[in-house]
Amino acid sequence: DTLAVAQVTGKMDKRDVRKMTWLGRAAEAPFMALTGSGSPFKTAADIKGKTVRVGVTALEIIPATAVLKALGATTVKTTVFDGAPEATQAAMRGDLDMVFTTFPTLLKNLQGSDGKLVALFVCSDQRRPETPNVPTVKELGADLPPALLGVDRLIAAPAGVPDDVLKILDAALQKAVRDPDFIAQMNKANYLPK
């Protein structure tokens, strides 16, 4: 999971994910891959047997490599960017073969690209209604664990929170994630509420 990667790469400061008290998951965001319209990769099938240069942020190195290998890439060369906009621009320019990050982020880029970006696949169980012609990695034959297919929006408390406080926090979280306004906002942002 991306928090484990963040822990190992030093992105969690002094916090230790192993000692946090996990309260729940508010939403999830599947990964997606886009390519520039001038790329030799026109469909996910074009990945098979090729070296793929992919732009990611630090937390997507392992998932991108695993997914692309599962789709038949012989070699995956990742370039790490500080954010998805820079990686997306690099893919549009042809500096990379594709960009791999979360669906909500890339959907906005895809919709605003005037055809300069093409969606190759989405890492979800089903096709997304926003991109009905974009296949899922499962459809393409990749059978991967959920931790490699997207990111969870988790809610946690520091270690050592008293049980009575945890019960209050849990009740509040459960109420929030079932709230119709929250669900509508998550759907509007293209996250999958949980």
Side-chain angles (χ1 to χ4, degrees):
D1 193 47
T2 54
L3 279 178
V5 174
Q7 181 82 55
V8 171
T9 59
K11 303 269 187 208
M12 294 291 292
D13 301 319
K14 294 181 181 181
R15 296 167 291 191
D16 186 339
V17 297
R18 296 168 298 181
K19 295 179 181 174
M20 293 177 155
T21 302
W22 299 100
L23 300 173
R25 180 170 61 170
E28 66 177 281
F31 291 123
M32 181 183 203
L34 299 181
T35 188
S37 58
S39 169
F41 296 94
K42 303 297 183 198
T43 69
D46 296 332
I47 294 168
K48 191 172 179 94
K50 305 275 185 0
T51 294
V52 179
R53 300 169 304 139
V54 60
V56 297
T57 64
L59 301 179
E60 294 137 4
I61 295 169
I62 294 170
T65 301
V67 169
L68 292 168
K69 286 282 202 170
L71 292 174
T74 54
T75 305
V76 177
K77 295 181 178 181
T78 56
T79 301
V80 179
F81 290 84
D82 288 335
E86 296 87 0
T88 303
Q89 289 293 319
M92 285 176 68
R93 287 190 307 266
D95 299 342
L96 300 168
D97 296 317
M98 64 188 67
V99 58
F100 182 99
T101 192
T102 61
F103 181 85
T105 299
L106 289 183
L107 180 63
K108 292 174 193 170
N109 293 323
L110 177 66
Q111 291 171 334
S113 75
D114 294 325
K116 294 177 185 163
L117 292 169
V118 177
L120 292 177
F121 58 82
V122 64
C123 298
S124 59
D125 292 339
Q126 300 174 21
R127 290 188 183 210
R128 296 294 304 255
E130 305 91 341
T131 54
N133 296 324
V134 178
T136 69
V137 291
K138 189 171 186 173
E139 286 177 70
L140 298 169
D143 186 21
L144 296 163
L148 294 173
L149 301 179
V151 294
D152 291 323
R153 302 303 182 203
L154 302 171
I155 309 293
V161 174
D163 287 343
D164 60 328
V165 174
L166 286 176
K167 286 180 184 177
I168 293 167
L169 292 172
D170 181 58
L173 175 63
Q174 295 308 315
K175 181 179 178 184
V177 297
R178 288 179 175 81
D179 180 76
D181 289 337
F182 173 81
I183 293 168
Q185 287 297 317
M186 289 293 101
N187 287 328
K188 183 177 179 183
N190 298 303
Y191 283 90
L192 303 171
K194 287 294 167 184

